[in-house]
Amino acid sequence: MTLKIGVIGTGAIGKDHIRRIRRNLTGARIVAVTDVNAEQAHGVVQGEGIEARVYDTGLDLINAPEVDAIIVASWGPTHEEFVLAAIAAGKPVLCEKPLAVTAEGCRRIVDAEIAAGRSLVQVGFMRRYDRSYRQLKKVLTDGAIGAPLTLNCAHRAPEAPGFSGDMALTDSCVHEYDVLRWLLDDDYVSAQVIMPRSCHLGEQEGYQDPHVILLRTRQGVHISIESFVNCQYGYDIQCHVTGEKGIASLPEPASVHLRLEAKSSDGILVDWKDRFVDAFDVEFQEWINATARGEMDGPSAWDGYVVALTADACVKAKYSGLIEPISLPECPAFYGR
Amino acid sequence: MTLKIGVIGTGAIGKDHIRRIRRNLTGARIVAVTDVNAEQAHGVVQGEGIEARVYDTGLDLINAPEVDAIIVASWGPTHEEFVLAAIAAGKPVLCEKPLAVTAEGCRRIVDAEIAAGRSLVQVGFMRRYDRSYRQLKKVLTDGAIGAPLTLNCAHRAPEAPGFSGDMALTDSCVHEYDVLRWLLDDDYVSAQVIMPRSCHLGEQEGYQDPHVILLRTRQGVHISIESFVNCQYGYDIQCHVTGEKGIASLPEPASVHLRLEAKSSDGILVDWKDRFVDAFDVEFQEWINATARGEMDGPSAWDGYVVALTADACVKAKYSGLIEPISLPECPAFYGR
Amino acid sequence: MTLKIGVIGTGAIGKDHIRRIRRNLTGARIVAVTDVNAEQAHGVVQGEGIEARVYDTGLDLINAPEVDAIIVASWGPTHEEFVLAAIAAGKPVLCEKPLAVTAEGCRRIVDAEIAAGRSLVQVGFMRRYDRSYRQLKKVLTDGAIGAPLTLNCAHRAPEAPGFSGDMALTDSCVHEYDVLRWLLDDDYVSAQVIMPRSCHLGEQEGYQDPHVILLRTRQGVHISIESFVNCQYGYDIQCHVTGEKGIASLPEPASVHLRLEAKSSDGILVDWKDRFVDAFDVEFQEWINATARGEMDGPSAWDGYVVALTADACVKAKYSGLIEPISLPECPAFYGR
Amino acid sequence: MTLKIGVIGTGAIGKDHIRRIRRNLTGARIVAVTDVNAEQAHGVVQGEGIEARVYDTGLDLINAPEVDAIIVASWGPTHEEFVLAAIAAGKPVLCEKPLAVTAEGCRRIVDAEIAAGRSLVQVGFMRRYDRSYRQLKKVLTDGAIGAPLTLNCAHRAPEAPGFSGDMALTDSCVHEYDVLRWLLDDDYVSAQVIMPRSCHLGEQEGYQDPHVILLRTRQGVHISIESFVNCQYGYDIQCHVTGEKGIASLPEPASVHLRLEAKSSDGILVDWKDRFVDAFDVEFQEWINATARGEMDGPSAWDGYVVALTADACVKAKYSGLIEPISLPECPAFYGR
């Protein structure tokens, strides 16, 4: 049985997903696409050589009878509408982050899904599908280092041409907010943001960088995330967990070790796409498999909502300079772990 | 278009391939199986829930009209017959190593394939599909370390309950013979085998271990392979290339780095299956894709023949204590690189 | 010319220094010792086979005519008196930490030294003499990673039988306070202390561990120090500096790399004495050399005072939960860098 | 008690030793020097500010009454004469390698020392004093990896302007011959030399490089040494020991770890002097200490002789292409371990 998928948004990310479903994955087929730029949507269909109908609007696509499940990869502000429509249509939907551009929007989706009485919404937090994070979670779950006490994380990119304002807190670090909760099986209770001396390299004049984000969990775990998006040297995701009896660190991507020019070195990736390309494959394959079974086992609308609340608290903390509480509502039984 | 595959041999390896084609790969379907143990063949079909006919013999399966391509995963001594039959039937065949149990047998396959006038045979040397070897080959090809001069390789396994006699030279190291030729794009001219002091651990009483195999290539590259199959500590494949201006080393499988019990450590695999599980997926997906295009781009019958000649020279060298020449016939234009 | 040294305190540390001066160092001789336990002082003199007079009191020793310079390695609360006496006697003195048990005591020493008009006091902050910290400082000074922005440090010990209360802040981390100022050539402006979930291993019932100390410097550098003295796995000093274009990390002690029991590992030290044993040699040799030249180039009384003020701010921050300012007086010209 | 030392040869190496004895070591004083270039000898005395008499000849210096012990750091061909003269004078002598330029010359020294009935001669094989080799020896002796079976070693230098002919075998690798015997507490029984494809980089036109030297020990340990003196990338000494249950590798010099320019790297030394500078200090301090006690515990004349025989066998093997036996005479009881 083949899952028939409709894709909303055929920009860089949507196109990537279409390509991976066609070439790398099994059990699914793209049958419908749409984009605000209809010409581009047609181009992708032709370029990839798929037999998919191009719809005028996302809503048309969602309600098309041949569409079993939907991928939302359009512009962020459109996500909420499409996800709500998918819920209304009773169709599974995988929505790229953000689930909605406000926490309130996320909450509306949560409420709609609960009202629909069926798990339909998955958020595109692909790090949970990354082999290295899964290896790290296994080590923690196995108890190899005892209970986690502190986490030292970094999210670094060589440069960030489009970054401004609080995007570090609201855009790139949402992946950390999600994956660290999942890693620890815990929730945040407070946030603090420290602005160290700013990097003067890179093209982003006036962009204050790095940010140091401190989170505390219910269990008392102290998390530090250095978000540094003009770090020049590479795309580098770090996560070091101090446990009661040892330290466990996120594996780095394997590379050819060189002894060259007075250096013994491993390569560091530069392009973020290379870092999580395999994770995207796993994410979509598992989503296809679960959807085909009538299940949903990925990051939920609730997870998307919690991430949005966390981002809001971080922005508030950045400007207040204080430790801001993160008051999560109790997790509805519907999303019970 | 889906490639319809028949699998000869449903033991551990054949079963693994059936499972991977069904669950992980795209573009192919298992339509026929056979095994000397018919009951087991039926069990695999049921266990995996595939719609495949169970044939009485390999020859029946090869000639079945619904079978487009064949995988040979039966007992080594049967390989030559099945591969020759596949050539006779004009069907693509992926044969697990060995291609044949003697160099002469491999030669007969080479001659038959040339006579058939069409590339049909691929040998199951999966290391060429391993990401780490491909990364290493790219570094060499890019010239990052200059021309290769020496290689230091190791093939180590924690224990080898079934090993005896010269199996290190004829069985496990065939993967090194193949992948190093491919890595260097070169051929061997001589072999020497040194037997160091033997390990006394492990259960293999009387088994002489390790072997040190020295190969020299046409370009003068010196290769040392330590085959050590009772090394206790792990399954560990090493390849360090000294080039004119630097050293490049095969990446090791990524693992969670631990600081624990007075050690800063990375994990070493223990089970060989974990080491190349991804390579098998890539090998079969690429074979399926190439076969669907009417092409054949993997290790050829010629490669299988060269490996068999190399193994013969190593066995001779082990007992003579001398540097034995490896006299390869000229590569037929049919297999021209 | 041989510097004639008197040592106050012949416990574990004093004895070590006597031994190192006699066996490893050049240009100095121990001519006088004293200890509250006179018997022990005699024992050390005999055990080491040195010709040194045993004095009844520290003050007697300081004023003995044959003593050129003094090492204070007695109980902390006695340091201030002995350092002040050495200043009064016009003799160079190397005082183990703490310089005094209160910041006010340190200030009195600073004032006395300024009044004496001559640099006489060095504080035993040996990390500045550690090869790894010196290598790291050179990398920073050379500008290899650009301006430093954040530091991630850890001070971990396997267990801390005698630790209680705020000793992490007032006792063990004083080495971090000193060495990081020196490393960055900067001063602190504020401190914050976070108490994560506490480790339940180790024998120290009720001891809250780890502490996370956050410091901010004048230049805006953000420093995080994890002090974890029951970490079980080893004695582990970490310092990672994020600069504008790269990361530099404190070298770890070299050890034999092992591939053993499914682990590829380097050793981590367990005993803190092994970590800085070479640094002590360098510290004392350089102090002897400088003293012989009539100079003083190590950590000064001012450095000791600043560290004491920093420790006070950390303790205050631990209990207030706030970011506490560190208001350093202007550095007197006498100590001008 | 201070050991009064005379130094023969005040070129680069002799001058270094004078400097280290004066500045870094304890228990000795340079009281006499000589050099074929008398002016240079005077210059060193003045430059270092030592009170040492400049003698016309090595023999004069050896026989000078104020000289307790001798360091021979002159041109290789003069070593034998000076060492024999020191034996005749009954004075301890530390001779830089080579002990003599022929094995016969070494043998004459051995015979003379036995005849003198007193251990007087130490050869300047400083690697035995290197901390990393000592750490590795301790791991082997402790049995951590079981009995050693094979060794993979490399001696690489960025370039070797003065190298020609067989100097790799007779000059630079003598350190490997010595230190590996010592490491394994074993002796060699045969040698083979393989000449791989030669490096074409570097200035040494016509110099064939690298050499691969294979040695076998009495215990059957297989040793491979890659001597590559135009390797461009650094000065790199490697030693990996495969034991029955694990691998132990020589520690590399500690360096600041960098994440910079898409590389995660440790530094590799370039200048050989930086690699063993500490080992020289330890070597001379231990020699001074042992000599002061009337003992001799370093590499002996016998060790120098064995190394010379090994080098001869390697040269023979290079030209014969065969496995050449190394027939060591039985070690005289005088040098009994």
Side-chain angles (χ1 to χ4, degrees):
Chain A
M1 205 211 67
T2 297
L3 186 73
K4 285 168 285 172
I5 295 176
V7 175
I8 302 176
T10 58
I13 290 175
K15 202 169 143 184
D16 267 3
H17 293 336
I18 290 168
R19 183 178 291 135
R20 87 177 66 248
I21 285 166
R22 197 180 74 78
R23 301 191 191 181
N24 306 347
L25 307 184
T26 185
R29 195 156 53 86
I30 307 295
V31 298
V33 303
T34 185
D35 197 275
V36 285
N37 181 339
E39 201 176 336
Q40 204 225 19
H42 281 284
V44 168
V45 166
Q46 288 178 333
E48 277 297 303
I50 53 174
E51 291 172 41
R53 183 162 164 192
V54 179
Y55 282 87
D56 286 345
T57 70
L59 297 182
D60 290 347
L61 178 142
I62 289 165
N63 292 307
E66 79 275 19
V67 170
D68 295 332
I70 295 121
I71 292 171
V72 177
S74 50
W75 189 45
T78 66
H79 290 188
E80 182 182 349
E81 178 189 6
F82 294 140
V83 172
L84 289 172
I87 294 170
K91 295 186 181 179
V93 55
L94 195 166
C95 179
E96 278 300 328
K97 59 108 184 157
L99 179 57
V101 291
T102 62
E104 293 71 28
C106 294
R107 180 78 222 193
R108 283 189 289 269
I109 290 169
V110 161
D111 292 340
E113 193 180 27
I114 293 175
R118 205 177 131 209
S119 292
L120 292 169
V121 182
Q122 180 167 324
V123 187
F125 291 133
M126 77 291 183
R127 289 205 193 170
R128 299 190 185 196
Y129 300 89
D130 176 68
R131 186 180 293 192
S132 66
Y133 275 108
R134 288 184 164 191
Q135 288 175 300
L136 181 56
K137 186 166 173 65
K138 180 166 180 358
V139 165
L140 298 185
T141 306
D142 289 351
I145 61 164
L149 307 177
T150 72
L151 270 70
N152 266 288
C153 309
H155 178 122
R156 302 193 189 110
E159 50 185 4
F163 256 61
S164 62
D166 304 323
M167 283 178 69
L169 304 177
T170 58
D171 194 78
S172 67
C173 281
V174 296
H175 287 297
E176 260 79 18
Y177 306 153
D178 179 68
V179 83
L180 299 180
R181 281 178 72 230
W182 166 84
L183 189 68
L184 296 172
D185 198 14
D186 201 349
D187 262 315
Y188 308 124
V189 296
S190 67
Q192 180 184 0
V193 174
I194 293 169
M195 300 303 296
R197 176 187 199 172
S198 185
C199 175
H200 291 92
L201 305 176
E203 302 178 358
Q204 285 302 98
E205 204 173 326
Y207 181 67
Q208 184 82 353
D209 191 34
H211 293 62
V212 175
I213 302 157
L214 307 180
L215 296 169
R216 188 181 185 90
T217 73
R218 285 191 181 150
Q219 302 276 359
V221 177
H222 166 71
I223 298 171
S224 173
I225 305 166
E226 180 195 302
S227 163
F228 187 8
V229 296
N230 284 298
C231 82
Q232 312 294 314
Y233 75 85
Y235 184 77
D236 195 10
I237 303 298
Q238 299 275 330
C239 180
H240 306 278
V241 183
T242 300
E244 289 182 301
K245 58 183 178 181
I247 315 291
S249 299
L250 191 70
E252 302 201 25
S255 78
V256 171
H257 186 86
L258 292 174
R259 300 180 79 80
L260 193 69
E261 293 172 356
K263 289 203 180 342
S264 169
S265 72
D266 291 292
I268 296 177
L269 297 176
V270 171
D271 191 336
W272 70 271
K273 275 179 244 139
D274 295 334
R275 178 63 181 84
F276 290 110
V277 64
D278 291 344
F280 279 118
D281 278 3
V282 177
E283 177 191 22
F284 278 80
Q285 187 67 65
E286 294 198 7
W287 177 68
I288 291 166
N289 296 351
T291 302
R293 291 194 310 269
E295 297 173 9
M296 179 71 57
D297 56 11
S300 68
W302 180 258
D303 295 320
Y305 175 48
V306 169
V307 163
L309 290 173
T310 305
D312 286 352
C314 287
V315 173
K316 190 170 177 197
K318 176 177 174 180
Y319 293 101
S320 74
L322 302 175
I323 300 171
E324 297 289 347
I326 301 179
S327 304
L328 298 184
E330 201 179 340
C331 179
F334 183 87
Y335 296 104
R337 302 183 186 182
Chain B
M1 206 213 65
T2 298
L3 186 73
K4 285 166 287 172
I5 295 176
V7 176
I8 302 176
T10 56
I13 292 175
K15 202 168 142 184
D16 267 3
H17 294 334
I18 290 167
R19 183 178 292 136
R20 87 176 69 248
I21 285 166
R22 196 180 76 78
R23 300 192 192 180
N24 306 347
L25 308 184
T26 183
R29 194 153 55 85
I30 308 294
V31 298
V33 303
T34 184
D35 197 276
V36 287
N37 181 339
E39 200 175 337
Q40 203 226 18
H42 280 284
V44 169
V45 166
Q46 288 177 333
E48 277 298 303
I50 54 175
E51 293 172 39
R53 183 162 163 194
V54 178
Y55 283 87
D56 286 346
T57 71
L59 297 183
D60 290 348
L61 177 144
I62 290 166
N63 292 306
E66 79 274 20
V67 169
D68 295 332
I70 294 121
I71 292 170
V72 177
S74 50
W75 189 44
T78 66
H79 289 190
E80 182 182 346
E81 179 190 4
F82 293 141
V83 173
L84 288 172
I87 293 171
K91 294 187 180 176
V93 55
L94 195 167
C95 180
E96 278 299 328
K97 61 109 180 155
L99 179 57
V101 290
T102 63
E104 294 70 30
C106 293
R107 180 78 223 193
R108 281 188 290 270
I109 289 169
V110 161
D111 291 340
E113 191 179 29
I114 293 175
R118 205 179 131 207
S119 292
L120 292 169
V121 182
Q122 180 166 323
V123 187
F125 291 134
M126 76 291 186
R127 289 206 194 168
R128 299 189 186 197
Y129 300 89
D130 176 69
R131 185 181 289 193
S132 66
Y133 274 109
R134 289 185 163 189
Q135 287 175 300
L136 182 57
K137 187 167 172 63
K138 181 166 181 354
V139 165
L140 298 185
T141 305
D142 290 351
I145 61 164
L149 307 177
T150 72
L151 270 71
N152 266 289
C153 309
H155 179 123
R156 301 193 189 110
E159 50 184 2
F163 257 59
S164 62
D166 304 322
M167 283 178 68
L169 305 177
T170 59
D171 194 79
S172 66
C173 281
V174 297
H175 287 296
E176 260 79 18
Y177 306 153
D178 179 68
V179 82
L180 300 179
R181 282 177 72 228
W182 166 84
L183 189 69
L184 296 172
D185 199 12
D186 201 349
D187 262 316
Y188 308 123
V189 296
S190 67
Q192 180 183 358
V193 174
I194 292 168
M195 301 302 297
R197 175 188 203 172
S198 184
C199 176
H200 291 91
L201 305 176
E203 301 176 1
Q204 286 302 97
E205 203 173 327
Y207 181 66
Q208 185 81 356
D209 191 36
H211 293 63
V212 175
I213 302 157
L214 307 180
L215 297 168
R216 189 182 184 89
T217 73
R218 286 192 179 145
Q219 302 275 1
V221 176
H222 167 71
I223 298 170
S224 175
I225 305 166
E226 181 194 300
S227 162
F228 187 8
V229 297
N230 284 298
C231 82
Q232 312 295 314
Y233 76 85
Y235 185 77
D236 193 11
I237 302 298
Q238 298 275 330
C239 182
H240 306 278
V241 183
T242 301
E244 290 183 301
K245 58 182 177 182
I247 315 291
S249 299
L250 191 69
E252 302 202 26
S255 78
V256 172
H257 186 86
L258 292 175
R259 300 180 79 80
L260 193 67
E261 292 172 359
K263 289 203 180 337
S264 169
S265 72
D266 291 291
I268 297 178
L269 296 177
V270 171
D271 190 337
W272 70 269
K273 274 177 246 141
D274 295 334
R275 178 64 181 82
F276 291 111
V277 64
D278 291 343
F280 279 117
D281 278 3
V282 177
E283 177 191 22
F284 278 80
Q285 187 67 64
E286 294 198 7
W287 177 69
I288 290 165
N289 296 351
T291 301
R293 292 192 312 267
E295 296 173 11
M296 178 71 57
D297 56 10
S300 70
W302 180 257
D303 295 320
Y305 175 47
V306 169
V307 163
L309 289 173
T310 304
D312 286 353
C314 288
V315 173
K316 191 171 174 195
K318 176 177 175 182
Y319 293 101
S320 72
L322 301 175
I323 300 171
E324 297 289 348
I326 300 178
S327 304
L328 298 184
E330 202 180 336
C331 180
F334 183 86
Y335 297 104
R337 301 180 188 182
Chain C
M1 206 212 66
T2 298
L3 187 72
K4 284 167 287 172
I5 295 176
V7 176
I8 301 176
T10 57
I13 291 176
K15 202 167 142 185
D16 267 2
H17 294 335
I18 290 168
R19 184 179 290 136
R20 87 177 67 247
I21 286 166
R22 196 179 76 77
R23 300 190 192 182
N24 306 347
L25 307 183
T26 185
R29 196 154 52 86
I30 307 296
V31 298
V33 303
T34 184
D35 197 275
V36 285
N37 181 338
E39 201 174 337
Q40 203 225 20
H42 281 284
V44 169
V45 167
Q46 287 179 333
E48 277 298 303
I50 53 175
E51 292 173 40
R53 185 163 162 192
V54 179
Y55 282 88
D56 286 346
T57 69
L59 297 182
D60 290 347
L61 178 143
I62 289 165
N63 293 307
E66 79 275 20
V67 169
D68 294 333
I70 293 121
I71 292 170
V72 177
S74 50
W75 189 45
T78 66
H79 290 189
E80 181 181 348
E81 177 189 6
F82 293 139
V83 172
L84 289 172
I87 294 170
K91 296 186 181 179
V93 55
L94 196 167
C95 179
E96 278 300 328
K97 61 109 181 153
L99 179 57
V101 289
T102 63
E104 293 70 29
C106 294
R107 181 77 222 193
R108 282 188 289 269
I109 289 170
V110 161
D111 292 341
E113 192 179 27
I114 293 175
R118 206 178 130 207
S119 292
L120 292 169
V121 182
Q122 180 167 325
V123 186
F125 291 133
M126 77 290 184
R127 288 205 193 170
R128 299 189 185 197
Y129 300 90
D130 176 68
R131 185 180 291 192
S132 66
Y133 274 109
R134 288 185 163 190
Q135 288 175 299
L136 181 57
K137 185 165 173 68
K138 180 166 180 0
V139 165
L140 298 185
T141 306
D142 290 351
I145 61 163
L149 307 177
T150 72
L151 270 70
N152 265 290
C153 308
H155 179 122
R156 302 192 190 111
E159 50 185 3
F163 257 59
S164 62
D166 304 322
M167 283 179 69
L169 305 177
T170 59
D171 194 77
S172 67
C173 281
V174 296
H175 287 296
E176 260 78 19
Y177 305 154
D178 180 67
V179 83
L180 299 179
R181 280 178 73 229
W182 165 85
L183 189 69
L184 296 172
D185 199 13
D186 201 350
D187 262 316
Y188 308 123
V189 296
S190 67
Q192 180 184 359
V193 174
I194 292 168
M195 299 304 295
R197 176 188 200 172
S198 185
C199 176
H200 292 91
L201 305 176
E203 301 177 359
Q204 285 302 99
E205 203 173 327
Y207 181 66
Q208 185 82 352
D209 191 33
H211 293 63
V212 175
I213 302 157
L214 307 181
L215 297 169
R216 189 182 183 89
T217 74
R218 285 192 180 147
Q219 301 277 357
V221 177
H222 166 71
I223 298 171
S224 173
I225 305 166
E226 181 194 301
S227 163
F228 186 8
V229 297
N230 284 298
C231 81
Q232 312 295 314
Y233 76 85
Y235 185 77
D236 194 10
I237 302 299
Q238 299 275 331
C239 181
H240 306 278
V241 183
T242 300
E244 289 182 301
K245 58 183 178 181
I247 315 291
S249 299
L250 190 69
E252 302 201 25
S255 78
V256 171
H257 186 87
L258 291 174
R259 300 180 79 80
L260 193 69
E261 293 171 357
K263 290 203 179 340
S264 169
S265 72
D266 291 292
I268 296 177
L269 296 177
V270 170
D271 191 337
W272 70 269
K273 274 179 245 141
D274 295 333
R275 178 62 182 85
F276 290 111
V277 64
D278 291 344
F280 279 117
D281 278 3
V282 177
E283 177 191 22
F284 278 80
Q285 187 65 65
E286 294 197 7
W287 177 67
I288 290 165
N289 295 351
T291 302
R293 291 194 311 267
E295 297 173 10
M296 179 71 57
D297 55 11
S300 68
W302 180 256
D303 295 319
Y305 175 48
V306 169
V307 164
L309 289 173
T310 305
D312 285 352
C314 288
V315 173
K316 190 171 177 196
K318 176 176 174 181
Y319 293 101
S320 73
L322 302 176
I323 300 171
E324 297 289 347
I326 300 179
S327 304
L328 298 184
E330 202 180 337
C331 180
F334 183 86
Y335 296 103
R337 302 183 186 183
Chain D
M1 208 213 64
T2 298
L3 186 74
K4 285 167 286 173
I5 295 176
V7 176
I8 302 177
T10 56
I13 291 174
K15 201 167 142 185
D16 266 4
H17 293 335
I18 290 168
R19 183 178 291 134
R20 88 176 68 246
I21 286 166
R22 197 180 76 77
R23 301 192 191 179
N24 307 347
L25 307 185
T26 184
R29 194 154 55 86
I30 308 295
V31 298
V33 302
T34 184
D35 197 277
V36 287
N37 182 338
E39 200 174 336
Q40 204 225 18
H42 281 284
V44 170
V45 167
Q46 288 178 333
E48 277 298 304
I50 54 175
E51 292 173 39
R53 184 163 162 193
V54 179
Y55 282 87
D56 286 345
T57 70
L59 297 184
D60 290 348
L61 177 143
I62 289 165
N63 293 306
E66 80 273 20
V67 169
D68 294 334
I70 295 121
I71 292 170
V72 177
S74 51
W75 189 44
T78 65
H79 290 189
E80 182 182 347
E81 180 190 3
F82 293 141
V83 172
L84 288 173
I87 294 170
K91 295 185 180 177
V93 55
L94 195 167
C95 179
E96 278 299 328
K97 60 106 183 160
L99 179 57
V101 290
T102 62
E104 293 71 29
C106 294
R107 181 77 221 194
R108 282 189 289 270
I109 289 169
V110 161
D111 291 340
E113 192 180 29
I114 293 175
R118 205 180 130 205
S119 291
L120 292 168
V121 182
Q122 181 166 322
V123 187
F125 291 134
M126 77 290 185
R127 288 206 193 168
R128 298 189 186 195
Y129 300 90
D130 176 69
R131 185 180 291 193
S132 67
Y133 274 108
R134 289 185 164 190
Q135 288 175 299
L136 181 56
K137 187 166 172 63
K138 181 164 180 358
V139 165
L140 299 185
T141 306
D142 289 351
I145 61 164
L149 307 177
T150 73
L151 270 70
N152 266 289
C153 308
H155 178 123
R156 302 193 189 110
E159 51 184 4
F163 256 59
S164 63
D166 304 323
M167 283 178 68
L169 305 177
T170 59
D171 195 79
S172 67
C173 281
V174 297
H175 287 296
E176 260 79 18
Y177 306 152
D178 179 68
V179 83
L180 300 179
R181 280 178 73 229
W182 165 85
L183 189 68
L184 295 172
D185 199 12
D186 201 349
D187 262 315
Y188 308 124
V189 296
S190 67
Q192 181 184 356
V193 174
I194 292 168
M195 301 302 298
R197 175 189 203 172
S198 185
C199 175
H200 291 92
L201 304 176
E203 301 177 0
Q204 284 302 97
E205 204 172 328
Y207 181 67
Q208 185 82 354
D209 191 36
H211 293 63
V212 174
I213 302 157
L214 307 180
L215 296 169
R216 188 182 184 88
T217 74
R218 286 194 180 145
Q219 302 274 2
V221 177
H222 167 71
I223 298 171
S224 174
I225 306 166
E226 181 194 300
S227 162
F228 187 6
V229 297
N230 284 298
C231 82
Q232 312 295 314
Y233 75 86
Y235 185 77
D236 194 11
I237 302 298
Q238 298 275 329
C239 181
H240 307 277
V241 183
T242 301
E244 291 182 300
K245 58 182 178 182
I247 315 291
S249 299
L250 190 69
E252 303 202 26
S255 77
V256 171
H257 186 86
L258 291 174
R259 299 179 80 81
L260 193 68
E261 294 171 358
K263 288 203 182 337
S264 169
S265 73
D266 291 292
I268 296 178
L269 296 177
V270 171
D271 190 336
W272 70 270
K273 273 177 249 141
D274 295 334
R275 177 63 181 83
F276 291 110
V277 64
D278 292 343
F280 278 118
D281 278 3
V282 177
E283 177 192 21
F284 278 80
Q285 187 66 65
E286 293 197 7
W287 177 68
I288 290 165
N289 296 352
T291 301
R293 293 192 310 267
E295 297 172 12
M296 178 72 56
D297 56 10
S300 69
W302 180 256
D303 295 320
Y305 176 48
V306 169
V307 163
L309 288 173
T310 304
D312 285 353
C314 287
V315 172
K316 191 171 176 196
K318 176 176 175 182
Y319 294 100
S320 73
L322 302 175
I323 300 170
E324 298 289 347
I326 299 178
S327 303
L328 298 184
E330 203 181 335
C331 179
F334 183 87
Y335 297 104
R337 302 181 186 181

